Amino acid sequence: MIISVYPKALAEDWALVANMQRFYKISLSDSLGFKYLLTTKDNTQSMFISDKYRKIHPPEPSRYILFEKKN
């Protein structure tokens, strides 16, 4: 599975990339538009995210938040 990341720099956070591959078999892409999007807690107010995605996990984030594309 491939998920989008925002900001694009997350796609080059090699510790995050390695852990997503190792534990979840997920690849990260800096191209927006995939079904899921991973971002940091600091970036949730981006117009792109709030208009196109809805938060799905976790309820009380410490750092990362997973969004799902709206239908």
Side-chain angles (χ1 to χ4, degrees):
M1 174 185 293
I2 300 172
I3 64 173
S4 300
V5 294
Y6 182 85
K8 290 183 176 193
L10 289 179
E12 295 178 3
D13 179 337
W14 302 119
L16 176 62
V17 170
N19 284 330
M20 294 299 282
Q21 276 288 315
R22 182 179 304 121
F23 295 112
Y24 305 107
K25 307 296 186 237
I26 292 174
S27 296
L28 303 179
S29 173
D30 62 1
S31 297
L32 298 173
F34 286 97
K35 182 176 180 179
Y36 297 101
L37 177 133
L38 182 71
T39 191
T40 61
K41 195 166 118 175
D42 300 331
N43 291 297
T44 58
Q45 299 306 315
S46 166
M47 291 290 287
F48 178 81
I49 294 173
S50 61
D51 288 348
K52 308 273 186 205
Y53 289 88
R54 65 180 179 84
K55 180 180 166 185
I56 59 172
H57 188 74
E60 301 283 330
S62 60
R63 182 164 181 187
Y64 297 108
I65 302 171
L66 185 64
F67 286 82
E68 183 176 31
K69 197 171 190 179
K70 295 177 181 177
N71 291 331

